[in-house]
Amino acid sequence: MEYLKWSAEDRIATITIARPPANALASGLLKELSAVLDEIEGNEEIRVVLIHGEGRFFSAGADIKEFTTIKTGEDFAQLAEYGQDLFERMEHFPKPIIAAIHGAALGGGLELAMACHFRLVAENAKLGLPELQLG
């Protein structure tokens, strides 16, 4: 795995978003998260999932640099649909998913946190949807 680390101990799967500096949600990271959820879902030993970010952020949102590589509106729509389908899967996941939020959870990072069943938020965390100011 390039963007995520995960381990299981005491019936808890811990998924760490490890994409410095801001843990941006690139399409590769989303695909890795889906693959990890596939493994966890079928594992009877794991009862709960914890997602957190490595470093200073939970996730500062979508990878804006990746947006510049998208050539067509159809490609952009497919990327957005993939993310929305993954977040919907998380909302209906058969095991509880907990987001442990510190630093920033912005844009897509906040959407990821909202897809979890529970959110534990550090007092100094920053949550927001800055994309609402664009356009």
Side-chain angles (χ1 to χ4, degrees):
M1 300 235 142
E2 187 176 350
Y3 304 121
L4 297 178
K5 301 176 198 173
W6 83 279
S7 62
E9 187 176 332
D10 296 329
R11 303 173 75 84
I12 301 167
T14 302
I15 300 171
T16 303
I17 304 168
R19 189 162 188 259
N23 295 328
L25 301 179
S27 58
L29 187 148
L30 297 178
K31 288 177 180 152
E32 285 184 16
L33 180 56
S34 182
V36 169
L37 292 176
D38 288 343
E39 288 187 55
I40 291 170
E41 189 168 12
N43 187 327
E44 295 295 322
E45 294 297 312
I46 297 173
R47 301 294 300 266
V48 66
V49 181
L50 175 73
I51 299 176
H52 72 105
E54 184 174 80
R56 298 182 324 138
F57 298 102
F58 176 76
S59 174
D63 184 354
I64 303 302
K65 287 181 188 172
E66 185 175 40
F67 288 171
T68 64
T69 67
I70 297 173
K71 304 274 189 264
T72 68
E74 183 179 318
D75 291 342
F76 189 80
Q78 287 177 341
L79 177 62
E81 186 176 348
Y82 185 84
Q84 289 303 312
D85 289 347
L86 175 60
F87 294 164
E88 188 170 325
R89 176 186 182 194
M90 291 172 61
E91 289 175 18
H92 296 40
F93 202 68
K95 300 173 185 190
I97 303 175
I98 302 166
I101 304 166
H102 71 287
L106 302 173
L110 180 57
E111 291 181 47
L112 172 66
M114 290 189 306
C116 296
H117 301 108
F118 300 96
R119 287 155 295 282
L120 303 174
V121 184
E123 284 187 30
N124 63 346
K126 303 277 189 244
L127 310 180
L129 299 171
E131 65 271 24
L132 297 178
Q133 302 301 316
L134 299 176

